[in-house]
Amino acid sequence: MANFFQLVKNEQYKIYVRKSTWAMYIIASLIIIGMALMFSFSDITNEQYQNDEWKQTLQDENAEMTAEMENEEVFEGAYTSNIERNNYYLENDIQPASYDAWQLVMDNEFTLSLVSLFTIIVAAGIVANEFRWGTIKLLLIRPISRLKILLSKYVSVLLFALFTLLYVLAFSWIVGALLFGVNPIDSHIVISTMGNLEYVSVMDKIIEGYGFQLVTLLMMATLAFAISTIFRQSSLAIGVSIFLMFAGNGIIAFLSKYSWSKYILFANTDLQQYGNGTPLVENMTLGFSITVLAVYYVIFLLLSWSFFSKRDVAGQ
Amino acid sequence: MTEPAMELTDVKKTIGRKEVIKGLSFTIDKGEVFGFIGPNGAGKTTTIRMMVGLMNISEGDIRILGNSVKTDFKDAVREVGAIVENPEMYPFMSGWQNLLHYARMIPGVTKERVHEVVQLVGLEKPIKEKVKKYSLGMRQRLGIAQALLHKPSVLIFDEPTNGLDPAGIREIRQYIRSIATEENVAVIISSHLLLEIEQMCDRIGLIKNGELVAVQEVGDALTNQENVMQVQMEVSPLENAQAVLQSNHNIEAEVGDNKLMIRTERNNIPTIIQTLVQHDVLVYQVEITKTTLEDKFFDLIGENTIG
């Protein structure tokens, strides 16, 4: 076991010593700072409501927006949702919360796609690069089974995903805290989901938003890892995985008329479809999706293992 | 009777339908330097890859200190240090980091040991630099350092002097010899350079088309009294000497480049010199230019394929 820990340490070292990994973290940081600055210059900050006259402010805004919609044809219906939200605050006697670090974390949910992207790149390279560099030979002539080496690499990919996710969360929060301050952890906001206004906990939304995407991250990283081990080519693994990650839903929409399409991986990666709205393909249930995902997951790992452990390492 | 360091028994390798290695059997003893020579594509690297478990053995078995590479991989390979083909390292890491990386993979290799091997191969100065800045010779040394970390009983080097300057070659050669005798380590060296193998090895195995065509003791070839070798003599006058050799020893001597070339057994050389001197021929220099080993290899492989 101590031995396995050393292997994982080696793999982590090889990931983080490279400049390309640092570039990933810098890109993520810049995007988060950019988003936060953009938000700080918009009216999303709700500063105008942070006083005793917040009810009056909301009413004034509504009157202004209604007038604008009546006078100018181009604005017709443009502010309806804003007015509805303002009314919701007024009717339920909720003072709009100020924008803060937690909300920035929530709004930066999309950065998880970035984490997925980076994880795919790392997963695609972690085996293929050893072949490209020729170092695979010196790696496999140690008194360690190939299964253990492969496993240490897979665990390292998952650790990389975890560390990067934690970094993105923490960095968003810190930037948010510096620019907007921090609200109590149980703060609520009004958001509209599917046309209905709801008063929800920010923390719940963060967990939900990031949590469901983690499924996609895990599946795509494992797919990239499998392709990388089978074909020993990182570019192929990156290309296929990223294409499928972004085009997956489109492919399903195109094929959804066939009943077998529900067995395709991408029809099942988005588990949020069971929380709100309708499944991509009819007759699908949460249990079904989880089973399909588990089967794919096991197949990916078994394929990686059988190719990695059986095949001859021949010259380039 | 001691256990051999490495034992190959009827090792075969089939890739697709083609039999690449057609039943190799030989043993290598502790403290012995074994040279593996043959033209490109003969199966040297394939055999080495099977020895270290990078390739599966189709038939037969390889045992290292009695442990089968096939069934007892971990115990077998624990005793092996190797460079397979080029000494490839992580270019973005320093030499020191590379060594630590491999040290972590084998229990019991301490930092002190890593320092020790760095000193051994003389890389103290550039060890903290990134490997991508290393010359081929420095990489070769780092490769050797990596192979020595865990004090293996069997060392396998593929083309160990590749890319080294003459001083480096000399150093590595001496180092390989000393480690074999002092630490009682079996060393297996593959090369396509006959001269290099001859200078470093105790025994040479010649491989051709996946078969072991000959195994030859190196010491034998040079000192064996019965071996016929080519001798070059600087004598004067040439015609006299030629005639003397013809009449007294029945040797056909060729004249070339103002020198006399003959083929004879080693134990004949003193008498030939005596005869020449008795017939007032001035002998300036006598030199063995080709051994039977070389002849044998050229006969077996064809001159062009040995570089």
Side-chain angles (χ1 to χ4, degrees):
Chain A
M1 207 51 214
N3 199 341
F4 187 72
F5 176 75
Q6 294 293 331
L7 291 181
V8 173
K9 192 171 158 190
N10 269 348
E11 295 304 327
Q12 288 296 308
Y13 188 86
K14 283 185 275 184
I15 292 173
Y16 283 102
V17 79
R18 300 189 69 199
K19 287 201 181 83
S20 56
T21 313
W22 288 77
M24 290 178 191
Y25 277 69
I26 290 168
I27 290 169
S29 308
L30 290 177
I31 288 175
I32 288 167
I33 292 172
M35 287 303 287
L37 287 175
M38 219 169 74
F39 287 143
S40 76
F41 293 126
S42 72
D43 57 4
I44 203 174
T45 52
N46 288 355
E47 262 171 62
Q48 64 271 37
Y49 311 122
Q50 307 308 314
N51 51 44
D52 291 339
E53 282 95 49
W54 60 270
K55 282 188 183 169
Q56 191 57 46
T57 316
L58 282 171
Q59 279 163 353
D60 290 351
E61 270 182 16
N62 276 1
E64 201 180 304
M65 285 192 283
T66 319
E68 210 168 308
M69 287 208 299
E70 277 167 3
N71 294 338
E72 309 243 1
E73 262 181 52
V74 279
F75 289 127
E76 203 181 308
Y79 301 124
T80 327
S81 62
N82 288 28
I83 295 171
E84 274 173 15
R85 182 160 52 195
N86 283 357
N87 283 335
Y88 187 92
Y89 282 122
L90 289 167
E91 280 158 24
N92 295 293
D93 196 23
I94 302 164
Q95 183 179 7
S98 63
Y99 200 72
D100 82 319
W102 296 110
Q103 286 179 63
L104 182 66
V105 171
M106 186 188 81
D107 286 334
N108 274 348
E109 188 192 297
F110 76 94
T111 51
L112 195 55
S113 311
L114 214 57
V115 177
S116 304
L117 192 73
F118 295 158
T119 308
I120 286 172
I121 293 172
V122 168
I126 200 158
V127 175
N129 281 345
E130 300 276 1
F131 281 95
R132 191 159 60 88
W133 294 325
T135 43
I136 188 73
K137 291 174 292 190
L138 290 182
L139 212 58
L140 294 184
I141 58 169
R142 311 289 146 180
I144 299 166
S145 72
R146 289 195 185 186
L147 173 65
K148 224 170 176 182
I149 287 177
L150 188 71
L151 209 60
S152 74
K153 286 187 171 290
Y154 184 65
V155 168
S156 288
V157 170
L158 298 185
L159 279 179
F160 171 81
L162 179 70
F163 294 153
T164 314
L165 174 66
L166 289 178
Y167 173 78
V168 165
L169 287 175
F171 194 73
S172 282
W173 192 89
I174 289 166
V175 170
L178 290 174
L179 279 175
F180 310 110
V182 186
N183 286 348
I185 197 161
D186 60 345
S187 64
H188 283 58
I189 53 159
V190 173
I191 57 162
S192 92
T193 44
M194 300 277 148
N196 295 317
L197 289 171
E198 273 180 293
Y199 191 54
V200 293
S201 148
V202 175
M203 192 46 81
D204 285 356
K205 274 281 150 193
I206 292 175
I207 292 168
E208 194 188 314
Y210 283 84
F212 281 119
Q213 276 199 67
L214 281 179
V215 178
T216 316
L217 188 159
L218 180 70
M219 293 308 295
M220 298 321 290
T222 311
L223 173 65
F225 185 79
I227 296 175
S228 156
T229 346
I230 295 165
F231 297 100
R232 299 166 180 192
Q233 253 217 1
S234 61
S235 49
L236 182 75
I238 293 173
V240 170
S241 307
I242 290 177
F243 171 76
L244 290 177
M245 184 169 84
F246 290 115
N249 283 348
I251 295 169
I252 295 303
F254 181 67
L255 294 171
S256 61
K257 56 177 181 282
Y258 305 106
S259 61
W260 50 260
S261 66
K262 64 179 171 184
Y263 297 107
I264 298 174
L265 174 63
F266 312 100
N268 298 285
T269 43
D270 180 19
L271 293 179
Q272 217 160 358
Q273 59 183 308
Y274 302 108
N276 44 18
T278 47
L280 284 164
V281 184
E282 273 180 64
N283 304 327
M284 281 168 58
T285 63
L286 183 61
F288 172 80
S289 280
I290 290 174
T291 314
V292 171
L293 289 176
V295 169
Y296 271 104
Y297 185 78
V298 170
I299 289 175
F300 289 159
L301 287 186
L302 279 181
L303 276 178
S304 307
W305 176 62
S306 63
F307 272 87
F308 191 72
S309 60
K310 299 273 154 57
R311 237 156 73 172
D312 286 342
V313 179
Q316 273 81 13
Chain B
M1 154 123 201
T2 54
E3 188 179 42
M6 183 179 278
E7 184 176 18
L8 283 81
T9 34
D10 202 24
V11 172
K12 287 180 186 168
K13 176 71 188 173
T14 321
I15 296 175
R17 275 192 200 161
K18 199 168 170 251
E19 200 171 55
V20 193
I21 302 293
K22 299 159 185 163
L24 290 185
S25 298
F26 58 91
T27 56
I28 298 149
D29 293 320
K30 288 172 192 164
E32 180 185 36
V33 183
F34 185 86
F36 214 30
I37 192 162
N40 291 333
K44 282 176 298 185
T45 302
T46 304
T47 310
I48 284 180
R49 279 171 191 269
M50 285 194 286
M51 286 175 180
V52 293
L54 287 176
M55 281 183 150
N56 294 316
I57 301 162
S58 302
E59 257 179 76
D61 200 359
I62 297 175
R63 284 173 183 280
I64 295 162
L65 293 183
N67 295 312
S68 159
V69 175
K70 250 179 169 176
T71 56
D72 216 354
F73 175 71
K74 278 191 220 172
D75 286 325
V77 95
R78 197 183 303 272
E79 291 299 332
V80 177
I83 307 176
V84 183
E85 283 183 323
N86 306 313
E88 281 125 341
M89 299 277 168
Y90 300 101
F92 49 86
M93 282 155 54
S94 70
W96 177 253
Q97 287 165 343
N98 267 290
L99 288 182
L100 271 194
H101 172 271
Y102 292 114
R104 284 194 203 104
M105 298 187 79
I106 305 158
V109 180
T110 58
K111 275 203 178 147
E112 288 71 51
R113 176 63 187 163
V114 183
H115 275 296
E116 217 173 284
V117 293
V118 169
Q119 267 181 352
L120 219 64
V121 297
L123 273 182
E124 295 102 319
K125 254 189 209 159
I127 198 69
K128 299 280 180 191
E129 270 177 56
K130 290 223 165 89
V131 168
K132 64 179 160 207
K133 290 184 188 157
Y134 280 24
S135 67
L136 194 51
M138 282 152 84
R139 279 172 214 226
Q140 194 69 261
R141 282 158 198 248
L142 192 63
I144 292 174
Q146 160 279 131
L148 294 172
L149 278 174
H150 51 295
K151 299 186 177 169
S153 312
V154 178
L155 278 171
I156 301 172
F157 294 133
D158 218 356
E159 312 273 350
T161 57
N162 217 352
L164 294 182
D165 51 29
I169 293 176
R170 206 181 138 97
E171 204 178 316
I172 294 291
R173 197 193 300 150
Q174 283 167 349
Y175 181 65
I176 286 175
R177 285 251 48 121
S178 73
I179 195 169
T181 39
E182 281 163 31
E183 317 238 339
N184 205 25
V185 167
V187 186
I188 299 163
I189 291 167
S190 96
S191 180
H192 61 280
L193 299 173
L194 179 63
L195 189 70
E196 176 178 301
I197 288 271
E198 233 182 324
Q199 285 168 333
M200 259 190 280
C201 302
D202 302 314
R203 214 150 51 101
I204 298 176
L206 174 72
I207 185 168
K208 189 190 175 190
N209 294 329
E211 280 169 297
L212 200 65
V213 248
V215 178
Q216 173 88 47
E217 304 269 340
V218 174
D220 270 14
L222 287 174
T223 52
N224 195 326
Q225 303 298 313
E226 269 101 60
N227 274 354
V228 176
M229 37 196 77
Q230 186 169 310
V231 182
Q232 180 181 283
M233 289 189 278
E234 197 183 334
V235 289
S236 173
L238 276 173
E239 288 76 22
N240 262 1
Q242 210 175 357
V244 169
L245 289 178
Q246 179 68 50
S247 53
N248 289 284
H249 293 279
N250 199 21
I251 292 172
E252 288 273 358
E254 284 173 45
V255 180
D257 201 13
N258 277 329
K259 280 167 188 161
L260 215 56
M261 303 280 245
I262 56 162
R263 293 179 60 79
T264 184
E265 286 159 26
R266 184 183 158 91
N267 52 4
N268 282 343
I269 296 174
T271 27
I272 290 173
I273 296 174
Q274 264 175 359
T275 325
L276 287 172
V277 172
Q278 280 161 10
H279 287 81
D280 294 331
V281 175
L282 303 171
V283 181
Y284 294 94
Q285 197 179 327
V286 179
E287 191 185 6
I288 297 170
T289 53
K290 257 191 188 177
T291 64
T292 42
L293 193 61
E294 213 169 338
D295 283 341
K296 202 166 172 178
F297 284 160
F298 286 147
D299 287 348
L300 286 164
I301 309 181
E303 197 145 356
N304 290 331
T305 46
I306 289 190

